[in-house]
Amino acid sequence: MKQAKYDVLVIGGGHAGIEASIAAAKMGQCVGLISMDTNTIGRLSCNPSIGGSAKGHLAKEIDALGGVMGRIADASGIQFKMLNTSKGPAVWSPRSQNDKDLYPLVAQNLLLSTTNLEIISETVVEILVSGGKVSGVRTASNEEINARAVILCSGTFLNAVMWTGTDCTKGGRVGEPPAEKISDLLSSLGLEKGRLKTGTPPRIDRKSIDVRRFEPHNGDENPVPFSIHTHSVRNQLSCFATHTTSRTHESLEGGFSRSPMFTGLITGAGPRYCPSIEDKIYRFADKDSHTIVLEPEGLSSNTLYVNGFSTSLPKDIQDVGMRSIPGLEDATILRYGYAVEYDFFFPYQLTFGLQSKALDGLFFAGQVNGTSGYEEAASQGLIAGINAALYVRGEGSFTLQRSEAYIGVMIDDLVNKNTEEPYRIFTSLAEYRLLLRIDTVYDRLLPQGNKLGLVPDHVVSRYEILQRRTNELVQATQKTKVAVNEINKMLVEVGETPITEPTSAMNILRRPKVSIEQLLPMLDGVEQSVYQEHQDVAHRVDTMVKYEGYIEKLHRDVERFAEQEQQVIPPSFSYLGIKSLSTEGREKLERIRPGSLGQASRIPGVSASDVSILSLYLR
């Protein structure tokens, strides 16, 4: 039953809205999740996958804090892979291919089974404000629903239009209307908005091609789930790879004169690191081919997502270009690619808790903040939901530092930097990425999720057993001395230099080509079968020992980072009167109004000398 008043109202049922509403409800608030069409809640509107490089880190962090994306991905996954395993452990990242029909069903069931949470089928046309605070929303049926906090998770729907060639249709997703009034009303209240663009590729009929002609991309032999709550997952389908050719590029270039990107019809900036196929051809003219991956959209679906072929070109050009790709000569396009152009609000106007600096009780999460991707949206939704609940309870704000989580890196970047294109998380953005590995995620964040009431005590207790086993294994490597005749044969076999005198197992493990599994039989007081069963423990110990020096240095850096974060800048501090600041530094500081000297130092355009001057004035 819809109520007249809620503690928290969440606008939008995408990945941000799901996390925000469940988090706030689990923290004891009465929550209403408002969606234009409740059947579309949780829809995978673009690629039917979760995770990937750095994005998998976000999905794991959501799980560690008590969010639900990992559980939904595990329950609807049809293929699981750990990416970047040929590289260092800092960049290992999980990815799943998901059933596009099953994912939203699992999400909707989770929402329906959450206490304190109601789903409302309505269209919001106005966010109500009273005395500088939000007071609720007005719907298209002219009904007022009151709330103490509102979270806007509108995705790509604010004043949204879709482009295929020169054909323009209003909407944020195929078959779904835009939200046309909210952004203009918020803009009239002084919030600065911009315009961005994202795109999606065509879907083709699997029955129209012969998959035996393509290179298969299979899942891992021993797939690993996203969530600590999931016992196991399995692979059920493969993806398939092909590539464009020079003939493909020539075919697509024939439509550039009718491309909304090149004719100026689209004014919003698109994602640099996930460009459309026409953008790739234009920007990388010297490349003869680009990789295309055909990804199944579900166990009961015949559609294949053509990853790498995002486009807004006219339909006839998409047909010709698609059929010029090896193996796709007879492909039938079931849904043509299109671009979506939409409003967003510059996130420098937010606190690190994702609350508006201009309007108390109003939170923003997801693509409305200028981000791109399911995982980025879900992470923000979780943080916004937590902080909306804390706001209602009058208990301050929950934030994560750059040294604590990729979520902290992302939000810090959003608040401090200009959003001129859709923001996407990368491992290269995290200066402490060796500390933010996926195998440390529950050490870092599970206690915080438990303290917030989002992670049950029994989950923490179960994980503490793995922590103890990790510590016991590390101690065993320290205590155990290995004899020359015991270890040298193995060292020679793996290509390492033999030892000349007894040494600790830890010293042996520091060698790059030696793994903990090889040393298990030699370790004193260790039950080998226990650690063979828990491969994640063995992997953690391997990494901790091999990278010990780097990790210690990073911890020292974090301590210095914390010192600057503790130098608080009063909210009323005036930068305009400090004439010795650079002009650009003064303007950026006045606009963003950092809360600490550390935050000020990370704002682009604020120089090291500006920070020194500011530090002097603060003292």
Side-chain angles (χ1 to χ4, degrees):
M1 294 288 292
K2 183 168 56 180
Q3 300 183 28
K5 185 171 184 177
Y6 294 83
D7 294 319
V8 178
L9 279 175
V10 179
I11 304 172
H15 303 281
I18 291 167
E19 297 290 350
S21 54
I22 290 179
K26 286 172 71 175
M27 291 176 69
Q29 305 310 304
C30 179
V31 179
L33 171 60
I34 306 177
S35 175
M36 288 189 284
D37 182 351
T38 57
N39 292 316
T40 65
I41 290 174
R43 177 174 287 179
L44 298 169
S45 51
C46 196
N47 193 350
S49 71
I50 298 297
S53 185
K55 291 172 175 284
H57 288 77
L58 290 179
K60 292 287 287 183
E61 290 177 355
I62 291 168
D63 188 63
L65 285 169
V68 296
M69 172 172 266
R71 277 182 273 179
I72 301 171
D74 289 341
S76 61
I78 54 181
Q79 187 193 80
F80 296 84
K81 292 185 75 171
M82 187 65 69
L83 305 185
N84 304 324
T85 53
S86 62
K87 302 177 183 178
V91 296
W92 288 25
S93 195
R95 182 186 189 273
S96 66
Q97 194 70 25
N98 295 82
D99 188 308
K100 70 170 184 179
D101 297 318
L102 185 55
Y103 190 99
L105 288 178
V106 175
Q108 290 166 28
N109 282 333
L110 263 176
L111 290 164
L112 289 168
S113 63
T114 300
T115 306
N116 302 325
L117 173 59
E118 295 171 8
I119 299 174
I120 303 167
S121 182
E122 276 284 7
T123 298
V124 174
V125 295
E126 183 180 356
I127 294 174
L128 303 175
V129 178
S130 176
K133 296 182 179 181
V134 297
S135 58
V137 303
R138 188 186 309 279
T139 68
S141 57
N142 202 33
E143 180 183 9
E144 286 190 13
I145 306 175
N146 296 317
R148 296 171 66 186
V150 172
I151 307 174
L152 182 60
C153 308
S154 52
T156 61
F157 283 80
L158 296 183
N159 287 336
V161 293
M162 297 175 289
W163 294 94
T164 301
T166 55
D167 294 337
C168 179
T169 307
K170 289 185 176 183
R173 199 158 48 195
V174 168
E176 297 180 51
E180 294 189 295
K181 296 181 179 180
I182 293 177
S183 65
D184 293 335
L185 286 166
L186 290 176
S187 181
S188 70
L189 295 172
L191 278 72
E192 185 184 1
K193 67 177 181 177
R195 196 88 170 145
L196 291 176
K197 164 255 176 188
T198 190
T200 188
R203 272 70 160 178
I204 62 172
D205 189 346
R206 182 189 176 110
K207 294 182 290 186
S208 66
I209 64 171
D210 183 356
V211 295
R212 293 173 297 182
R213 296 182 59 186
F214 304 105
E215 173 194 350
H217 281 199
N218 300 317
D220 290 339
E221 186 176 342
N222 298 303
V224 178
F226 277 100
S227 177
I228 195 173
H229 304 277
T230 305
H231 180 65
S232 64
V233 292
R234 63 193 180 99
N235 294 315
Q236 300 174 75
L237 291 178
S238 294
C239 301
F240 305 94
T242 181
H243 55 85
T244 63
T245 66
S246 55
R247 189 161 72 89
T248 309
H249 299 185
E250 290 171 7
S251 300
L252 296 177
E253 284 173 342
F256 280 11
S257 62
R258 291 186 287 149
S259 163
M261 282 180 54
F262 297 131
T263 57
L265 292 173
I266 290 178
T267 58
R272 180 186 309 184
Y273 299 103
C274 188
S276 64
I277 187 65
E278 57 264 39
D279 199 20
K280 285 191 275 192
I281 293 169
Y282 179 77
R283 285 165 51 189
F284 308 109
D286 56 327
K287 290 196 69 173
D288 294 328
S289 103
H290 295 281
T291 300
I292 299 293
V293 181
L294 307 177
E295 299 176 337
E297 291 203 308
L299 294 172
S300 58
S301 171
N302 287 318
T303 60
L304 294 171
Y305 179 94
V306 188
N307 198 343
F309 202 90
S310 176
T311 184
S312 58
L313 287 166
K315 292 179 180 179
D316 59 315
I317 300 297
Q318 292 188 41
D319 277 319
V320 174
M322 185 71 68
R323 290 171 185 155
S324 69
I325 297 172
L328 300 182
E329 293 85 357
D330 299 316
T332 300
I333 295 179
L334 298 175
R335 178 187 291 174
Y336 289 92
Y338 62 93
V340 186
E341 196 176 15
Y342 57 94
D343 288 349
F344 80 104
F345 287 89
F346 288 97
Y348 76 82
Q349 302 168 105
L350 302 176
T351 67
F352 288 123
L354 299 181
Q355 183 175 191
S356 168
K357 294 175 182 177
L359 294 171
D360 283 354
L362 177 60
F363 297 78
F364 291 75
Q367 285 179 279
V368 70
N369 288 335
T371 60
S372 172
Y374 305 147
E375 303 79 7
E376 289 88 342
S379 302
Q380 294 170 71
L382 178 60
I383 298 301
I386 290 169
N387 281 303
L390 292 175
Y391 170 82
V392 170
R393 289 176 1 194
E395 295 181 7
S397 180
F398 173 77
T399 60
L400 292 167
Q401 302 292 334
R402 297 182 72 91
S403 57
E404 292 181 290
Y406 273 88
I407 296 175
V409 172
M410 174 184 66
I411 293 176
D412 189 75
D413 283 348
L414 290 174
V415 173
N416 286 331
K417 298 178 181 179
N418 290 330
T419 308
E420 296 175 352
E421 60 190 48
Y423 177 94
R424 177 182 174 180
I425 193 68
F426 287 97
T427 54
S428 59
L429 297 174
E431 59 270 46
Y432 305 112
R433 55 186 170 274
L434 189 56
L435 301 180
L436 305 183
R437 309 184 311 273
I438 57 169
D439 61 292
T440 68
V441 66
Y442 296 105
D443 294 337
R444 292 182 275 120
L445 301 178
L446 202 65
Q448 301 198 55
N450 178 247
K451 186 177 179 181
L452 289 164
L454 299 177
V455 177
D457 291 340
H458 70 86
V459 175
V460 177
S461 299
R462 192 171 73 237
Y463 185 71
E464 286 173 347
I465 295 172
L466 294 182
Q467 287 179 308
R468 284 198 299 273
R469 286 178 177 159
T470 300
N471 294 333
E472 288 166 1
L473 194 53
V474 170
Q475 290 169 7
T477 66
Q478 292 171 326
K479 294 176 182 177
T480 303
K481 289 282 186 180
V482 290
V484 173
N485 61 350
E486 186 181 17
I487 196 69
N488 275 349
K489 182 181 178 184
M490 185 269 285
L491 290 177
V492 171
E493 287 175 351
V494 299
E496 289 284 357
T497 306
I499 61 174
T500 57
E501 58 185 31
T503 187
S504 71
M506 179 173 279
N507 283 336
I508 299 296
L509 186 55
R510 287 193 176 106
R511 298 190 178 200
K513 297 177 183 177
V514 178
S515 70
I516 189 69
E517 286 89 349
Q518 295 164 320
L519 296 178
L520 279 177
M522 308 175 193
L523 297 179
D524 297 335
V526 168
E527 293 182 43
Q528 191 174 341
S529 59
V530 170
Y531 296 102
Q532 288 172 337
E533 180 184 349
H534 297 285
Q535 292 291 314
D536 51 341
V537 171
H539 168 66
R540 287 183 67 195
V541 173
D542 245 347
T543 304
M544 289 167 64
V545 173
K546 283 182 169 58
Y547 292 89
E548 181 183 22
Y550 296 103
I551 291 171
E552 287 180 357
K553 179 182 180 299
L554 284 173
H555 280 301
R556 291 194 295 271
D557 290 344
V558 170
E559 289 174 7
R560 287 193 290 270
F561 171 84
E563 289 175 5
Q564 281 199 324
E565 293 300 307
Q566 289 168 7
Q567 289 186 261
V568 176
I569 303 175
S572 59
F573 190 88
S574 175
Y575 303 94
L576 299 177
I578 308 177
K579 301 302 180 185
S580 47
L581 290 173
S582 68
T583 301
E584 183 181 7
R586 191 184 306 113
E587 290 173 353
K588 293 285 182 67
L589 290 165
E590 189 65 32
R591 185 178 69 163
I592 295 174
R593 305 205 63 77
S596 69
L597 190 65
Q599 184 189 352
S601 70
R602 298 189 300 277
I603 298 173
V606 176
S607 66
S609 62
D610 289 332
V611 174
S612 296
I613 292 165
L614 182 57
S615 176
L616 179 64
Y617 269 81
L618 287 171
R619 288 200 299 273

